[in-house]
Amino acid sequence: TGSSESPPLASRTMADASEPLLPGEKKAKSINATGAIFAASIATIGSFMFGFNIGFTSPSLPSLEWGTDPVFGDCSEWIQDSNGGYSCKESAQGAFFSAIINFGAMAGAFAGGPIVDSIGRKYSVILSAVPLILGWLWIAIGAGYFGMLAARVATGFGMGLVTISVNVYVTEISPSHLRGALSSMFQLNLTIGILAVYLIGEYLTTSQFVTATMNPTNPPAFKYGQHLECNWRLLSYVGAGISTLMFVGMLFMPESPRYLLLNNRQEEAIKALNFFKGATYNAYAEVESFRKQEEDEYVEEAGEESCASTWLTRGSLIPMGIMLVLHTVQQFSGINAVIFFCQTIFADAGVSNPVVASVTVAIVQVVFTGLLTMGLLDLAGRRVMLTLSLIGMTISCIGMSTAFHLKEVDNAQDWLAFASLLGYIASFSIGTGAIVWVIMGEILPLKIRGLGSSIASGFNWTCSFVVTFMFSIMLTKLKGVGTFLFYAAVCAFGAVFTYVVVPETKGLELEAIEKLFLTRMELIWI
């Protein structure tokens, strides 16, 4: 044009996007991430509910087994607490109620990929809230034991869908310089959800006076007393309410720009980019860059668009292989065993209240995930923090193994087990817990991100089931010493694998990360 003034951003065309910005357009390069932060905060209410779901049985299980409103009726051995109440020493119904959530989550994870790719990232997050809301309401109503099992499966399905939809959505809406922090909000809110359900469960209580007719075991020293029990119905209504908040909030959030571009909805993508990155952001240039990469990939694939041709490329197979290894390491690293021994280790260290033990672990997770992972991930980088996390877990597992050995030879060192436990939880929180999910959203190519995330997450849940199933067998055969040495070996392998094979993605646009696997032939990144 003949004018020396640049046209406003809104009036630029796609053809202008490849031209350099004129001096008057410098502000268009700036990013205001307020919209992305707000949208990520709404979406990760889903991961808050993930943690809420996991931790729900901790405060509620005793009340489901005995009290004014019990559901389970198979307990044969009881333990009396200090204020006259009872808890079941072993209930098959209670254990199954706790564990069945994994089957629902596994189904939700495997179903999540096709759902995310067919209806979009935003509406998949919204859809994940539906089984959560209905499941929590069903539990609150308390429609018998089998009805509550079905409700628990429903909330598990919502959890599995959350792991796919929320991670993919947050990854794709985040500016590259904040993607690590925003993506790690998933794990942070998960740990906050666990802590919240512990604390709320302690607050939402019903008081009852225990009488002789309520005594299930008739011990000689039966004592009357005022007993506080968790009101599990009210706690379930809280879960339904928070899930509804996510459902409503996501209705007002834009769709992922990359999903819109993948489906040739360019004008909507431009509006979404300006919401997530600010009104002055040059969205046209990003759209043009995306189109250019699509054209390059089309030429490289010689026009082949079949599903097989998309998957059977190094750009898909290598990142998918990396993710499967990282998910295996995450689950076989011993986190379930550490949580299992948590209350025992705290008791040996003089902390006999199981609530104090659970809350302490939850606080450590929240603090280290929030202050260190979110604060340092975009500065130190994914590979460095994940490697350090796994090294710390290796040392802690060796410490746990040593503590078990000393206990076997009557030279117990409770401080060693206690320090190793807290060290393990802290190390897991700064890397392995969160960063595996962050990397999953980053390195999987856009065309397989939905289905690939589904396969990886479903595989993660499958590994979780295998580890939980094998744990008691390992404990019997290998004892505590061998079990934790096995976990130490897995963590050590994970540290080496991460440092050698996993590429650093800090600060890179998602399209640039895709090119890493297409242009680099070596698998070694050191």
Side-chain angles (χ1 to χ4, degrees), residues 160-420:
L161 189 51
V162 158
T163 61
I164 308 300
S165 58
V166 173
N167 275 300
V168 173
Y169 180 76
V170 173
T171 297
E172 292 186 353
I173 70 172
S174 300
S176 58
H177 70 289
L178 289 176
R179 194 172 57 243
L182 295 185
S183 296
S184 62
M185 284 177 65
F186 182 92
Q187 183 70 15
L188 174 63
N189 279 357
L190 189 155
T191 59
I192 293 175
I194 295 174
L195 177 60
V197 76
Y198 290 163
L199 298 178
I200 297 172
E202 286 294 301
Y203 176 77
L204 293 179
T205 57
T206 300
S207 178
Q208 64 165 323
F209 188 79
V210 180
T211 65
T213 58
M214 300 173 65
N215 174 17
T217 56
N218 291 313
F222 171 76
K223 50 179 158 179
Y224 294 88
Q226 203 71 23
H227 173 66
L228 291 178
E229 64 179 28
C230 172
N231 191 321
W232 55 268
R233 294 184 188 273
L234 286 181
L235 192 60
S236 300
Y237 281 122
V238 171
I242 298 174
S243 302
T244 302
L245 182 63
M246 178 181 72
F247 180 93
V248 174
M250 282 301 299
L251 291 174
F252 299 95
M253 297 299 105
E255 178 58 274
S256 156
R258 284 174 172 81
Y259 175 80
L260 294 170
L261 290 173
L262 193 61
N263 289 272
N264 298 315
R265 295 157 62 181
Q266 294 179 356
E267 292 305 317
E268 293 177 69
I270 290 169
K271 292 179 181 179
L273 283 167
N274 286 137
F275 177 87
F276 294 127
K277 298 185 178 181
T280 61
Y281 178 70
N282 185 13
Y284 291 100
E286 184 166 334
V287 171
E288 183 64 19
S289 174
F290 180 88
R291 287 177 57 188
K292 179 66 169 59
Q293 178 164 334
E294 287 287 287
E295 292 171 1
D296 292 343
E297 290 180 1
Y298 181 84
V299 172
E300 290 174 5
E301 295 170 5
E304 295 180 7
E305 293 294 334
S306 69
C307 179
S309 67
T310 301
W311 277 89
L312 297 178
T313 62
R314 63 179 290 109
S316 297
L317 291 176
I318 294 175
M320 195 68 215
I322 289 174
M323 285 319 308
L324 293 179
V325 173
L326 291 181
H327 279 296
T328 301
V329 169
Q330 185 192 61
Q331 286 301 324
F332 280 84
S333 64
I335 182 62
N336 293 330
V338 171
I339 297 299
F340 180 87
F341 279 110
C342 170
Q343 293 183 9
T344 302
I345 293 170
F346 270 82
D348 290 341
V351 183
S352 58
N353 190 328
V355 175
V356 173
S358 300
V359 169
T360 300
V361 169
I363 290 174
V364 171
Q365 289 180 305
V366 170
V367 170
F368 278 85
T369 303
L371 296 183
L372 290 180
T373 306
M374 288 191 67
L376 296 177
L377 193 53
D378 288 309
L379 296 175
R382 285 70 158 145
R383 187 175 64 167
V384 171
M385 289 194 65
L386 182 55
T387 302
L388 291 176
S389 168
L390 288 163
I391 291 173
M393 291 163 64
T394 302
I395 296 171
S396 299
C397 283
I398 293 173
M400 295 282 286
S401 178
T402 304
F404 274 100
H405 172 69
L406 293 174
K407 193 170 186 178
E408 288 178 1
V409 297
D410 296 325
N411 187 24
Q413 300 292 326
D414 294 335
W415 67 268
L416 178 59
F418 187 72
S420 298

Side-chain angles (χ1 to χ4, degrees), residues 422-443:
L422 294 183
Y424 181 95
I425 295 296
S427 298
F428 182 85
S429 299
I430 67 169
T432 309
I435 297 177
V436 169
W437 298 102
V438 174
I439 294 175
M440 182 183 77
E442 291 181 329
I443 70 173

